[in-house]
Amino acid sequence: MAEQQDRLAKYRGMRRFDRTDEPEGGAAAPGEDPSFVVQIHDATRMHFDFRLEVDGVLKSWAVPRGPSTDPRDKRLAVPTEDHPLEYRGYEGMIPGGQYGAGPVIVWDHGTYHPLVDGGPEAFARALERGHASFELHGTKLRGAYALTRIHQGPDGGAGDAADPAWLLVKKKDAHSTPGRPTTPDPHRARSVLSGRTLAGVRREEPQDGS
């Protein structure tokens, strides 16, 4: 638990939990199968957040153009801080003045299967080395994907310095759509949890004093 707490130190240090309703972490237990979530976040820049449950936290990447089902699309994925497992179900309005201010919805979620021999530990090591393949079992995203690091920052790629970058790519299988990407329009996409759009979340933001 102490090691997990340390991995969430950056996440917690970037947020004021007396101002934001984002989860502080530490209460959720891992499920039988590792989970994934894709959130759409209209912050300073619109982007998708792609998160995989690894070793008790959500390893996270910001994907500006979102995941694609076309294997020819190579989508930039920029690593961000580890998030707590409770973030799998988070959607709402991060208030102004806070890190990441803006609406968040859960566009897709589900479980995933590492396509690496050796179980969860081997999958975590594969990510550390910079390449890991996995199969998604989501409501919207299904089939095999790969994350590959293409540039490592001087800190070793941990995301604390200087632009480490990855690619998120769909593999060819029964769920791929060559020549026909199915990335959603983030402005029209709806939450898999509540059916809300980003605009709907924003409209529901409470006014001061209410």
Side-chain angles (χ1 to χ4, degrees), residues 141-157:
L141 294 179
R142 294 181 177 271
Y145 283 79
L147 276 163
T148 303
R149 187 168 56 221
I150 57 172
H151 171 67
Q152 180 167 301
D155 65 332

Side-chain angles (χ1 to χ4, degrees), residues 12-60:
R12 293 194 177 108
M14 298 167 74
R15 291 161 175 84
R16 287 188 53 185
F17 295 104
D18 60 338
R19 296 288 309 279
T20 179
D21 64 350
E22 295 169 278
E24 191 168 353
E32 182 176 343
D33 297 311
S35 59
F36 85 94
V37 64
V38 181
Q39 285 153 315
I40 305 179
H41 187 183
D42 189 8
T44 304
R45 295 181 180 178
M46 179 81 73
H47 65 278
F48 293 71
D49 286 307
F50 185 81
R51 311 190 198 278
L52 294 174
E53 178 183 340
V54 180
D55 198 17
V57 296
L58 295 176
K59 304 298 291 185
S60 299

Side-chain angles (χ1 to χ4, degrees), residues 39-117:
Q39 285 153 315
I40 305 179
H41 187 183
D42 189 8
T44 304
R45 295 181 180 178
M46 179 81 73
H47 65 278
F48 293 71
D49 286 307
F50 185 81
R51 311 190 198 278
L52 294 174
E53 178 183 340
V54 180
D55 198 17
V57 296
L58 295 176
K59 304 298 291 185
S60 299
W61 292 261
V63 183
R65 296 178 60 199
S68 174
T69 55
D70 186 344
R72 294 179 296 184
D73 287 339
K74 296 176 173 60
R75 293 295 166 86
L76 176 67
V78 180
T80 62
E81 71 278 7
D82 293 345
H83 282 53
L85 294 182
E86 292 91 334
Y87 220 93
R88 293 175 291 206
Y90 177 75
E91 60 181 32
M93 188 75 188
I94 301 174
Q98 300 304 297
Y99 174 76
V104 178
I105 61 170
V106 175
W107 177 69
D108 195 19
H109 66 170
T111 61
Y112 76 93
H113 175 70
L115 298 178
V116 177
D117 292 333

